[in-house]
Structures are given as C-alpha cells and as structure tokens.
Amino acid sequence: MKKSISFAMALTVALSATASAVPVWADDVTNLTIWSPTDTAAIEEWWVEKLAEWNEAHPEIQVSREAIDRSDSYAYDNKIATAVTSNDLPDIFYVDGPQVSYYAANGITVPITEYFDEETMSDFVNSTVTQCTYDGELYAISATESSVALYYNKDYLKECGVDVDDLDSRTIDNPVTWSELAEIAEKCTTDSYVGTHIIMDHGEGLPYALEPMYLSAGKDYISEDGAEADGYVNSEEAVATTAYLADLIAKGYANVDPITDEFLNGACATMLGGSWDMATLEASADFDWGVTYYPVNDDTKTAVSPCGDWSAAVSKDCENVEAAGEFLQWLMSTDNVASYAAAIAKPATRTSAYETEFMAEYNDGPRALFVEQLQSNAVPRPRTPSYAVFSADYAEAMTNIFSDAASNEEVDEDYIQSELDTVAESFTEDYTTYYAE
C-alpha cells in the first residue's frame, strides 16, 4: 500500500463521488492493492464494475486489483512467495482454502476477526468459517464455496439396466453407498465406457475430491489439531478406503488417466464431479444427466462432502489494515457475495445470498443439492500449515497406487500401506521441523 502523490487525482476522485463532497487531500488517500487469479470474462467484468463502485463512494480508500495469470499452476503461488521474501506483498491477496493455515502460521497474513461481527459470521456456512479460521482467529473470508457430488448419465444408465428413478429419488439422508457405486460402475463398464470417474487431476484434485471417503470410513487424513498424519492417512481405515478406490481402477471401472471432460464427452457413466461442472453440463451436454449426493461408506453411512474455495486475506505488508478490513466488510456483503457467486457459477458462502435474485437458480433443481451439502455435511480440508507438503505427497502416492492397480489388475494392500506410510512420515518431518512447539 502506498500513499497517493497526486493532489489533482485525489481531488478529482473526491469530487466525482458527490457534488457536495469535501475534497480529500493526497496525503489522506489510502491506496489498497488486491491480487487474485485471473478468471472468466464475467468475473473480470464483475471486478471492474465493483471496484469502480467502491472507489466512487470512498475517495479516501482507493482500491485496485492485479489479476495474476494461472496458465502455469504455480505462477500465482510463486509470485506470492517472491513478494513475501521481498516484503512487497499487496494489501489483500487471495489464497486457496487449505493454504489459509500456512499463511497464518507463518505470519504472512494478519487476523481480520474484528471486522466481521458474530451476526455477520453466523450468515456464512460453517465450512467457510472453519476453513478461514486458524488458532481461533479469522484470517481470510470467501464469497464462494465448492462441492462434489455424483453425476450420472441417465440415458446410458438406462441402457445398462440401472434404476435411474432410484438415483433421482435419493436424499441427503439416503445417499448412494460405495458398494452401490461399484455395482453401477460394473454394469456400465464396456469397451466404449468406463463406469465411473474418480480422478479430477493428479494434484490437489485428489485430496480435495476423495477426502470425504476417508472421513466417512472414520479417519481423516490428519488429526483435528493439524499436527499428526501418522495413524490417520496411513490408518487401517485409510488403507481400506484407498483399496476400495484402487479396486475401481484395477477392475477397469475407472481410468487412472481420464480423458479431458470424460463425463461430458460420453466416455464414462458416472462421475465424482464438482459444483463448477454444473454450468458446463447445462450448456453443453447432449444427453440426459442427473446428480445425487456424495457416496457414503456402507458400514457407517456417514455423509460427508468436500468444500473450500479462494478467500481474501490481508497481508503482513498492509500499512492500513483498518482500511482493508472496511473494504472486505463491503466486498463480502450479501449482495456482493451473491452477484459474485452468480457470475462465477459457484455456491455462495452467505445463506442470505440465496434470498437474492442472483442466486435464485440454487434454490431448487440440481444446483440446490450442492447448497444442501454445504449447509449440512461439508468438511474443509485439514487445517494445518503443512498441508501443501501433505497434498503433494498424497497425490503422488495415490497416483502410484492407482497406476500399480491398473498395471497389475489387482490391489496390493501392502503396497498401499507402504505408500501411505511415506506420506505420513513426510508430513511428520515437515510439521516437526517447522511448526511443532
């Protein structure tokens, strides 16, 4: 954040807000800068309109945004890392949900708890509040959430003798079980189709999309306090869960390297897909499709769903945290959250957003299912400063396990145990070295 040096510019902005405005002198203008990843044209347009609206109404706090290209998946994170080293972070920057704890634990971001009162926070879904909280303090705030559910190709399932009416009638209290998903996948696997799609990508998509299966089986990847992976990601429950997933690969019911848009392109019968896939299917699918709740473990029947999204945080280099906090209060208002969520086609974090015209299509139909999951059983990824290490190692281990299952056409539980033990050991080393007291 830098003070403006142009009296003429400051005076012009001040006078444009209202004909009777009191001039704002250059030294009284706070300039805030935001970094966030580039996004769709609709979102880029939203930012232009909203910042113009804020700047006109607040000549004393002027806000600008730099959109960071993410064509290289590491470009954004690398830019932040470089700015941390040079003490040249923007005032506000966006961070992916599971990284909130890392930035907070390392003093890269500052608490913003005082800018969001209890009444306001009660309007945000619990998953967002939990994701953005570290050590009892709010360190970030988000306008949108994400979720994953089971999509299915109704036309193809009918051809394979699957009871589509049963899938259509499922409720959040009666979701598909793992064994039912495997049975459907078996029925629908042919030379032209695979029965299901369980791999979003071989990076963060794996821990994000698959974590609910571990939770449903009884053990998360990491302990609730974020300090232990041994006995969690490599537990008996975790090995059994991983073996179930690997068996889908071994039997050819799912591809270890899915083609692009595998479900949309009619190459798989069912898909563990994201809430963001909804808009694409609505616009482009040439077959009848449906979506039902995230599958549950047969024994526990515990319903869990993924969540998490990019959130705004205030950096350690911000010279006027109060101004940044005031701006974030406005940015995360009900109407702003609703219009942003509608533009990006994601569920909103604020319950009140669904009472606005922007989010009307989320109140019934397929999109309402994701809102229902977020408001009832969504669990954010582990809140630990060592999450990035865990995520990379888990993704590598799962890729190895799935590849081994595909090549041998069978599941080796000893191999699974060994790979998950390595993930736990790597996490322990990182956490013990940098964060353990």
Side-chain angles (χ1 to χ4, degrees):
M1 183 208 72
K2 299 179 177 62
K3 292 287 185 180
S4 173
I5 59 173
S6 171
F7 164 79
M9 181 176 69
L11 182 59
T12 298
V13 172
L15 292 175
S16 67
T18 172
S20 60
V22 176
V24 176
W25 300 95
D27 287 344
D28 293 328
V29 176
T30 295
N31 285 328
L32 299 176
T33 301
I34 301 172
W35 284 0
S36 66
T38 54
D39 217 301
T40 63
I43 286 300
E44 295 303 318
E45 182 179 345
W46 184 93
W47 274 112
V48 171
E49 292 178 354
K50 285 298 175 180
L51 292 184
E53 179 183 332
W54 167 272
N55 288 336
E56 182 177 0
H58 299 83
E60 77 286 2
I61 303 174
Q62 294 291 285
V63 182
S64 62
R65 169 178 171 263
E66 182 178 350
I68 311 300
D69 186 8
R70 293 188 70 214
S71 56
D72 172 355
S73 61
Y74 296 104
Y76 184 81
D77 290 338
N78 288 343
K79 187 174 180 66
I80 292 176
T82 300
V84 169
T85 303
S86 60
N87 295 314
D88 195 27
L89 284 164
D91 302 280
I92 297 168
F93 67 96
Y94 273 67
V95 53
D96 198 8
Q99 290 294 83
V100 170
S101 296
Y102 169 80
Y103 289 114
N106 286 281
I108 298 169
T109 55
V110 300
I112 55 173
T113 310
E114 65 181 285
Y115 303 106
F116 294 90
D117 60 31
E118 186 175 344
E119 181 179 357
T120 299
M121 293 311 298
S122 68
D123 190 42
F124 285 83
V125 291
N126 289 334
S127 56
T128 296
V129 177
T130 302
Q131 169 193 266
C132 293
T133 301
Y134 179 76
D135 199 22
E137 295 278 3
L138 188 72
Y139 275 89
I141 193 70
S142 178
T144 53
E145 263 288 6
S146 67
S147 188
V148 173
L150 182 66
Y151 292 86
Y152 49 98
N153 183 326
K154 293 187 180 185
D155 295 338
Y156 183 64
L157 263 61
K158 289 176 181 176
E159 290 180 20
C160 297
V162 175
D163 187 350
V164 172
D165 290 338
D166 174 62
L167 291 178
D168 290 343
S169 67
R170 294 301 180 113
T171 67
I172 199 163
D173 297 319
N174 181 33
V176 171
T177 64
W178 295 2
S179 61
E180 288 175 325
L181 173 59
E183 289 169 7
I184 293 171
E186 181 180 12
K187 284 185 178 180
C188 297
T189 297
T190 68
D191 290 340
S192 302
Y193 274 82
V194 289
T196 194
H197 172 107
I198 60 172
I199 299 175
M200 288 185 175
D201 58 48
H202 289 286
E204 178 58 23
L206 284 169
Y208 165 73
L210 300 180
E211 182 184 19
M213 291 204 168
Y214 292 78
L215 286 162
S216 188
K219 279 285 181 73
D220 200 354
Y221 297 137
I222 297 167
S223 61
E224 188 173 355
D225 64 2
E228 297 286 343
D230 189 30
Y232 291 87
V233 72
N234 59 344
S235 66
E236 180 180 346
E237 295 90 339
V239 171
T241 301
T242 306
Y244 165 79
L245 293 164
D247 191 55
L248 296 173
I249 302 287
K251 291 177 176 174
Y253 301 162
N255 287 320
V256 67
D257 288 307
I259 66 170
T260 302
D261 295 327
E262 189 174 43
F263 183 76
L264 177 64
N265 289 326
C268 68
T270 65
M271 169 182 70
L272 284 179
S275 48
W276 57 89
D277 289 313
M278 184 75 66
T280 302
L281 289 167
E282 289 171 341
S284 305
D286 60 1
F287 54 87
D288 191 14
W289 56 273
V291 61
T292 189
Y293 302 90
Y294 196 101
V296 298
N297 179 279
D298 287 77
D299 296 326
T300 70
K301 300 294 194 300
T302 300
V304 185
S305 59
C307 60
D309 205 4
W310 290 82
S311 305
V314 177
S315 83
K316 67 179 179 63
D317 295 336
C318 180
E319 295 176 12
N320 192 335
V321 175
E322 184 175 353
E326 182 180 344
F327 172 74
L328 287 182
Q329 286 176 335
W330 174 85
L331 188 69
M332 297 298 165
S333 69
T334 293
D335 282 348
N336 284 342
V337 164
S339 61
Y340 181 88
I344 203 171
K346 289 181 178 181
T349 53
R350 296 193 69 152
T351 301
S352 58
Y354 296 98
E355 299 171 6
T356 71
E357 60 179 335
F358 300 108
M359 301 300 289
E361 60 188 338
Y362 283 85
N363 290 322
D364 53 47
R367 294 192 186 210
L369 179 145
F370 290 106
V371 178
E372 189 178 8
Q373 287 192 157
L374 286 166
Q375 293 180 344
S376 62
N377 60 34
V379 176
R381 281 157 285 181
R383 289 176 297 146
T384 174
S386 292
Y387 183 82
V389 170
F390 165 80
S391 175
D393 290 342
Y394 173 84
E396 181 179 0
M398 293 300 282
T399 298
N400 293 341
I401 290 165
F402 288 158
S403 298
D404 180 74
S407 61
N408 294 315
E409 298 183 355
E410 64 179 9
V411 174
D412 184 345
E413 292 199 7
D414 289 337
Y415 181 67
I416 291 174
Q417 184 73 66
S418 175
E419 286 289 313
L420 296 182
D421 283 344
T422 299
V423 175
E425 290 167 5
S426 178
F427 175 91
T428 299
E429 180 180 358
D430 186 81
Y431 189 86
T432 301
T433 302
Y434 298 107
Y435 305 107
E437 296 181 357

